[in-house]
Amino acid sequence: MVQYGLDYTRCRWILPLMLGIALIFGLIALAGKGWLESETLPYQHYASLWESCTKFNGDPDWTCTSLMDYAWGRAAAATFLLGYIILVICFALAIIAFAINTLLMNFIRGIGGLLFVAAVFSIMGLVIYPVMFTKEIYMEGVNMFSWAYGFAWTTTIMEIGLAFFFCCLPNYEDQILGNVKPTYFYTSP
């Protein structure tokens, strides 16, 4: 990808686009109610980053409790939210850096470093949540961490991968800015 994609000036918007996709996945994870799900009758359970809800077979209503009542719930939400805020800042900086050619290489490594910091905060939240949730919240039947939790991990993995790309990108500064004559491997007979 580096040899054929990122060193061409027309493809330099791939990284901000990927950051935008990570933003969307993170927003889905923050708003999603599918961090934990259970459909084992007569007990049903679902949880988000913010609340945990249960329902028994004969009960028509869900009984919800806020996870913000627990210190670990606040810690998990705060660390993941802080990682998301840093991701938003990185997205804004990437748009600015890629839009202005003179700023391009000045911000790139800094954005990569910030993405590593965002990934650390996200991982902290994603580890605190399942460990403490299964320890503190009573659950019956088969429970599984579900789609919104998967979106949160996808966001974190994208943060790590994009951090590596942003940190390595200044090594190809001349190719990105179009200062190098392309090398063709084909020679005519």
Side-chain angles (χ1 to χ4, degrees):
M1 182 173 176
V2 172
Q3 183 179 2
Y4 298 107
L6 295 179
D7 60 346
Y8 290 102
T9 56
R10 68 180 181 271
C11 296
R12 69 180 187 183
W13 290 101
I14 290 174
L15 291 178
L17 176 68
M18 295 299 290
L19 276 175
I21 292 170
L23 276 176
I24 292 169
F25 286 173
L27 187 61
I28 291 170
L30 284 170
K33 293 195 180 268
W35 279 57
L36 181 125
E37 292 180 346
S38 173
E39 291 292 330
T40 308
L41 293 177
Y43 173 79
Q44 294 173 319
H45 189 195
Y46 78 86
S48 68
L49 184 59
W50 315 103
E51 67 182 357
S52 173
C53 299
T54 57
K55 177 174 132 177
F56 289 95
N57 199 17
D59 193 8
D61 297 324
W62 289 91
T63 305
C64 296
T65 58
S66 175
L67 295 180
M68 298 301 112
D69 295 338
Y70 299 95
W72 61 266
R74 290 189 301 269
T79 54
F80 189 75
L81 191 59
L82 185 59
Y84 184 76
I85 290 169
I86 294 172
L87 179 64
V88 171
I89 292 169
C90 288
F91 178 70
L93 288 175
I95 294 295
I96 292 168
F98 281 91
I100 303 170
N101 281 338
T102 57
L103 295 177
L104 180 63
M105 293 304 149
N106 296 335
F107 283 156
I108 296 298
R109 281 211 172 106
I111 293 170
L114 278 175
L115 282 170
F116 277 121
V117 172
V120 167
F121 279 114
S122 298
I123 288 171
M124 285 173 27
L126 291 171
V127 169
I128 291 170
Y129 183 85
V131 169
M132 296 306 293
F133 192 96
T134 55
K135 184 177 177 182
E136 299 278 331
I137 306 292
Y138 175 73
M139 297 183 292
E140 288 183 15
V142 178
N143 295 281
M144 63 179 172
F145 291 97
S146 190
W147 60 271
Y149 188 69
F151 272 108
W153 272 110
T154 304
T155 301
T156 305
I157 291 168
M158 288 180 77
E159 287 171 348
I160 294 168
L162 288 168
F164 279 111
F165 274 117
F166 274 99
C167 285
C168 294
L169 197 60
N171 297 339
Y172 299 96
E173 178 178 4
D174 289 332
Q175 288 90 346
I176 292 169
L177 296 176
N179 297 333
V180 175
K181 183 179 177 183
T183 304
Y184 299 103
F185 297 107
Y186 176 77
T187 57
S188 60

